[in-house]
Amino acid sequence: MIAEPVLWALVGLALGLVVVRRRSAGVAVLAAQSLLLGVIAVDHAVTEHGSVPAAVAILVIRGVVLPLVLVQVIRLTREPRRVASERSALLRFVLALAVALVAIGLAPPLGLHDEAAGDAALALVVLGIAVAALRRPVVFQAIGFLVAENGVLLAGLAVSGGLPAIVELGLLVDLVLAVGVAGAFGARIHERFGTSDTSVLRSLRD
Amino acid sequence: MTDALVHLAVALPLATALLVPLARGARLARLVVAGALLTAAAAGALGVVALADHAEPARGHWYVVDAAGGVYLLVVAAIGLLSALASPGYLGPAHRGFFAEHRSRPAYYVALLAFWAVLLAVPLVDNLVVAWILVEATTAASAVLVAFSGGRLALEAGWKYLVLTTLGLTVALLGIVVLYALLASGGSVLGTLDWDAIRAGAGAIDGDAAVFALVLILAGLAAKIGWAPVHNWLPDAHSEAPPPVSALLSAALLPTVMLVAWRTLAALDPAVGRTGGALFLAFGLVSLAVAVPFLWRRLPIKRLLAYSSLEHMGVLALGIGFGTPLALAGVVIHVAGHALAKSLGFYATIPLLRRDRTLATEAPVSLNSTSPAAAGAVGLSLASLSGLPPSPLFVSEVLILAGGVAAGEIAVVAVAAALLALGFLGLAHALIEGVAGDAPREPVASRRAARRLLALTAAIGCALLALPAAAYGLIDSALVADLMRGVG
């Protein structure tokens, strides 16, 4: 079982990503959340005789490597000013919190070994989607899907016996590919539009 | 033999992709053509073996070669080969796009071959979560292909595709974890999510929880299949991607991901009963309803073809949702017919867009006046996609609707028939206005390109004519009976 304060911390960090202003601060919050999950994964692997190398890979890749990729994207895509197209932080916070509460209220129990962790996992997935939907900078949208993936990782940790190590490693490979491609997109979008504010990507409509 | 073919079908495109950076100029084109021909031969042979031995699917450590897999393998092999052969006609002189100028051509081929390899592996895998990992892996390669030109619209389409499908697949993954938790008995075993293991365990799990897991999985996969209402990326990506990539996306990727959804539905059937089929019917009807109004609008040809994909993914969802022998026979013909007709439409845009860039943003008018070869290809494509007899899609849609009647879903059949009739009229209008015209004035395509397109049109036309005959043989066949027992 994962301690409730830890679950609250994970959800609180996700909520922080909805409101935090600077992209670098966002990456720091994501790294903190991923490191916390990585530590839980290593603890589970040690205490429940799981795969320690897979858990360490989760810790290092999610908590260190992927945030460093995003830091590199920020370095390559310096913004002359704040992204002006974003809604107010308070409105974003209220919207994200409301959607997360509604999702947890409507969804039946996930049937995981640790139900509180199941609720927190669902909250992280919903908040990740909210971050991607409500934030405009490319980096925050990439952070959104990493937060949602962190939710799935938490759900996996709450399954009795955990997910098979080969699955964890396969997911990591996909995650590295997705973040790598997202980083390349961030650089190209900035190069082409002079900003990584995705509100400029609104030409394709019928 | 089967084991060797399975590994060759997946390894050959990957090996070719690894060799691509070592080749330059004409050698690069020859390498890709050779690799594509060998891959298509291996995958095609495997597909034939799968259909011939459908009563006893061959199984290996990670794969199953069954009837459904055979159908999809043949489709993915054919479309992958055609896209590889059509790519030199699209690429033209190297230029700075998503990749640096000197790397653009090799990068295109590496991404295309990797994308194709993963698409060939998806119908073969015997495990839900491994299928998910492969589907997610298609995203990275295909997103850079969508944005290959590096233009503003292409970047917008590629980014939308990357974000929306990645988030959707995350929801599907949560559903898979929930399903794993329901099925696992304490151990950490990958085989828990094998198709047969899911089916064996489904009878003993809580039905409501299984439905919730299925809803999450389908809602997530829907974002990748392009089912409405989570289809927003589809028209943009299909219209902005290079035409050979658009063909792979529409004719191979979407139905292949739907196969994963279909296998999940079949495996969970003991737990979810008719609810699973009802979910497919809902996605099918909504997709048709959203697509049809766009088929009536004057859209650029690639965008029109994209909305037609939305319509046809809806038709396939209906067929799988009805789940009767007639409907499943229709699904098999529809997957093949849609792939051939849709890819022909996209390939025809290569010479058209090369000479007239306005066709990227405006609806075509009287193509026959300027490019008879392309007009013939687009005409055959649109006529087939509209369901004009003797198109195989007319036959498959009739089979699917008849299968719906047999399933007792009269209201769904009535609504679907009305929407399909409206869709037919919309595409017929585009066919008449966009293709028909006066006698040729000044050809816009080179003679060589026109000859190639005519040959491709003739070949695909013959295949499209052969499919209705195959449909006749499929009704009440042992192959459909095997599909009825579960696609895994």
Side-chain angles (χ1 to χ4, degrees), chain A residues 150-174:
Chain A
N150 278 348
V152 178
L153 171 63
L154 178 60
L157 291 170
V159 174
S160 177
L163 293 181
I166 187 75
V167 173
E168 299 281 15
L169 294 175
L171 300 181
L172 273 184
V173 171
D174 276 349

Side-chain angles (χ1 to χ4, degrees), chain A residues 6-22:
Chain A
V6 175
L7 298 175
W8 281 110
L10 290 168
V11 176
L13 288 166
L15 277 169
L17 285 165
V18 179
V19 294
V20 69
R21 194 164 66 89
R22 298 178 68 85

Side-chain angles (χ1 to χ4, degrees), chain A residues 71-169:
Chain A
V71 167
Q72 185 62 21
V73 175
I74 293 171
R75 280 194 185 143
L76 290 171
T77 59
R78 292 279 178 214
E79 294 287 341
R81 60 188 72 84
R82 261 188 70 190
V83 172
S85 64
E86 296 213 286
R87 293 179 181 86
S88 82
L90 181 62
L91 181 61
R92 293 198 304 263
F93 181 81
V94 171
L95 278 173
L97 187 62
V99 173
L101 289 174
V102 167
I104 292 170
L106 291 180
L110 297 188
L112 307 180
H113 178 61
D114 181 347
E115 275 305 327
D119 286 345
L122 186 59
L124 289 191
V125 171
V126 173
L127 289 172
I129 293 171
V131 169
L134 296 171
R135 303 305 306 262
R136 294 286 171 256
V138 164
V139 167
F140 272 110
Q141 296 196 338
I143 286 174
F145 65 69
L146 286 172
V147 170
E149 286 271 354
N150 278 348
V152 178
L153 171 63
L154 178 60
L157 291 170
V159 174
S160 177
L163 293 181
I166 187 75
V167 173
E168 299 281 15
L169 294 175

Side-chain angles (χ1 to χ4, degrees), chain A residues 26-36 62-64 67:
Chain A
V27 173
V29 173
L30 170 75
Q33 187 188 61
S34 303
L35 283 170
L36 190 50
R62 286 187 188 247
V64 180

